[in-house]
Amino acid sequence: MKKIKLALLIILSVIILAGCGKSAKEEFFDYTKKNVTENSSNDISMTIKDIKLTADMKDSPEANVMVTQLKDIKVTGSMQHDVSEKATNTKLNIEALGQKIPLEFISKNDDMYFSLDIFRGISKIASQFNSELPSDEKTLSAFDGKYLKLSDADTLEIDSKSATNLTKEFQKEVSNYFTSLDEERFTKENDVVTFKLTKKDVVVLAEKFNTLSKSKKEYKEFVIPDFDEMIKNLPKVLDAKFNLNTKTNDLAVTLTSTFDKKDDGFIDSIEVLYNYKPNDKKVTIKVPAKKEIVNVKEIEAILAPYLSDELDEELDGDFDMTDDEFKELVKELEKEDFSSFSAAESDELLEEYETLLTEKQYKTIEKIFKNK
């Protein structure tokens, strides 16, 4: 079930608005339109401003240590947009648990590339939790300066053309929605325009996205599974407050989430601050050369010795799924929609199950696949 669904990620990251004039609402629209239609280079940052624990966890040493670690997380970087080349480059440096992790995305037209330089930092963090990843220099250096092409079908297992078309149509829906909002929701004091995006807005946009995904056969794989359950599990409060300085074009976004008391968890609320500040750097975006690009199979080959050792260790023990575990697996598979799976993908999944199940259990799973 490795189907990647474009859902809230698009909803929260794609806000394309259009307008003109001098009202607070229209000034906010002008800013967002300018960032879409003109070359831009911005410094960006993210910090966790505040975390509040639930009443029953306030005195927990473990929870307080985790809160301290979360508050220490910092993200800084830059984002460039080249309109004529239809290209963007996002570079981030994530500081967490004493490590600095570089994160880079490059996109041009419908192609997107992800830097594998991140692997070193992830390996070091994983070692702190006794979850070992390959850490030898030979393996790590094989990822240095390499990029994974995310738009390849074998990487995301989605149709990139359909994803692009769906995104364009959804952008129009978002634009129409924001244009329809009341002027009163946009206020201005001195040079700062303030606007708040609420949980209600997110739900409306999520509904529009899901409706659009159901409207065409080519978008079927992007339909949000268990949509009502997903909406139900959103935080009790989900607000994004935008403060735009119309003179400097600095944008500060404060995202606040407050969780329901009945939810399992130790955090009552969390407040995250994002900052976007224009810089005077020349916009230059370089797409990875062919020799710098690797695919999933090449990555698997690099990790094969490690992965095979781990698998051998797991299979050395007597694997035996209990009746209750098997019943839960059957229940989940019966709910799953396999219509977007190819015959090859279904066969591959069945092969994986065959190595883990008894003959009787496997035949039950096989019957479920055949009937889907």
Side-chain angles (χ1 to χ4, degrees):
M1 301 48 167
K2 297 178 181 178
K3 300 294 178 181
I4 293 182
K5 308 299 180 182
L6 303 182
L8 292 181
L9 178 62
I10 295 179
I11 293 169
L12 294 176
S13 64
V14 181
I15 302 177
I16 296 183
L17 312 175
C20 57
K22 297 297 182 182
S23 69
K25 174 182 174 180
E26 289 166 336
E27 283 191 81
F28 190 83
F29 286 1
D30 283 345
Y31 167 82
T32 55
K33 183 178 180 180
K34 181 178 180 181
N35 273 275
V36 173
T37 59
E38 298 180 13
N39 286 0
S40 60
S41 182
N42 295 277
D43 293 321
I44 54 182
S45 66
M46 185 279 286
T47 55
I48 298 177
K49 287 182 63 177
D50 189 32
I51 300 177
K52 288 185 171 61
L53 292 171
T54 55
D56 58 327
M57 296 297 287
K58 285 182 178 178
D59 297 324
S60 166
E62 293 84 358
N64 279 283
V65 168
M66 188 167 290
V67 166
T68 300
Q69 291 177 332
L70 288 172
K71 284 184 175 181
D72 284 341
I73 294 175
K74 295 179 181 178
V75 179
T76 57
S78 63
M79 180 184 295
Q80 291 196 330
H81 180 205
D82 188 325
V83 176
S84 61
E85 294 293 327
K86 296 182 179 179
T88 61
N89 185 2
T90 302
K91 291 183 178 180
L92 301 175
N93 286 301
I94 304 170
E95 295 181 38
L97 300 176
Q99 301 297 327
K100 291 186 178 182
I101 304 173
L103 186 64
E104 181 182 13
F105 287 95
I106 300 173
S107 68
K108 184 171 182 179
N109 297 315
D110 297 334
D111 291 329
M112 179 176 284
Y113 308 88
F114 174 65
S115 172
L116 297 179
D117 288 344
I118 190 176
F119 198 85
R120 284 181 179 272
I122 290 178
S123 178
K124 290 179 180 178
I125 288 180
S127 66
Q128 296 181 31
F129 294 93
N130 297 319
S131 176
E132 293 185 5
L133 286 175
S135 57
D136 60 285
E137 185 58 28
K138 181 180 178 181
T139 302
L140 294 177
S141 62
F143 292 103
D144 291 344
K146 301 295 183 181
Y147 292 81
L148 177 64
K149 191 174 181 181
L150 296 179
S151 44
D152 283 344
D154 65 341
T155 303
L156 293 185
E157 298 182 354
I158 63 175
D159 184 335
S160 59
K161 183 177 180 181
S162 296
T164 300
N165 292 338
L166 174 60
T167 301
K168 288 179 180 177
E169 287 198 47
F170 182 63
Q171 287 173 353
K172 293 178 183 177
E173 292 281 349
V174 175
S175 176
N176 292 336
Y177 178 74
F178 277 82
T179 303
S180 70
L181 295 178
D182 293 337
E183 294 276 353
E184 288 73 19
R185 292 187 60 177
F186 298 80
T187 60
K188 185 175 182 180
E189 185 174 348
N190 297 322
D191 297 318
V192 179
V193 173
T194 300
F195 162 66
K196 181 184 285 188
L197 186 73
T198 67
K199 177 181 176 180
K200 182 179 178 181
D201 296 312
V202 172
V203 172
V204 170
L205 291 172
E207 290 171 342
K208 288 181 180 293
F209 178 87
N210 219 34
T211 299
L212 187 59
S213 299
K214 293 177 180 178
S215 67
K216 295 181 182 179
K217 187 177 180 179
E218 64 175 299
Y219 298 158
K220 185 177 180 180
E221 63 181 313
F222 303 108
V223 174
I224 303 172
D226 302 321
F227 180 81
D228 292 337
E229 188 68 21
M230 183 201 75
I231 296 300
K232 181 181 176 181
N233 290 328
L234 286 175
K236 181 173 65 175
V237 175
L238 182 60
D239 291 336
K241 185 178 180 181
F242 298 80
N243 288 316
L244 169 67
N245 188 308
T246 56
K247 278 196 172 181
T248 63
N249 280 335
D250 290 1
L251 177 65
V253 183
T254 304
L255 181 64
T256 305
S257 300
T258 302
F259 302 93
D260 200 301
K261 287 182 173 58
K262 68 175 185 288
D263 292 340
D264 294 331
F266 62 93
I267 295 178
D268 177 69
S269 65
I270 184 168
E271 190 174 359
V272 183
L273 177 63
Y274 301 86
N275 282 298
Y276 304 82
K277 185 175 183 178
N279 58 47
D280 57 1
K281 296 177 182 177
K282 183 179 180 181
V283 176
T284 54
I285 300 174
K286 182 184 176 183
V287 174
K290 188 175 181 179
K291 64 180 181 181
E292 298 172 322
I293 299 172
V294 296
N295 56 41
V296 172
K297 290 183 179 179
E298 290 174 299
I299 293 175
E300 290 175 346
I302 295 172
L303 298 177
Y306 167 80
L307 294 176
S308 60
D309 289 345
E310 287 290 301
L311 186 59
D312 288 343
E313 287 178 15
E314 290 179 12
L315 296 181
D316 280 343
D318 293 327
F319 182 86
D320 186 18
M321 183 176 287
T322 66
D323 289 339
D324 287 341
E325 289 172 337
F326 182 69
K327 286 178 183 178
E328 188 63 30
L329 173 63
V330 170
K331 187 191 300 184
E332 291 300 317
L333 288 175
E334 286 178 338
K335 291 192 300 184
E336 187 70 32
D337 179 13
F338 293 108
S339 60
S340 60
F341 280 60
S342 67
E345 288 173 324
S346 295
D347 290 342
E348 186 179 343
L349 275 174
L350 279 172
E351 286 178 9
E352 292 178 9
Y353 282 124
E354 191 172 14
T355 62
L356 301 173
L357 304 175
T358 65
E359 184 177 351
K360 183 179 179 180
Q361 289 173 333
Y362 174 73
K363 290 200 175 292
T364 301
I365 300 300
E366 185 180 37
K367 187 177 179 180
I368 294 174
F369 274 72
K370 300 288 185 188
N371 292 334
K372 287 289 185 177

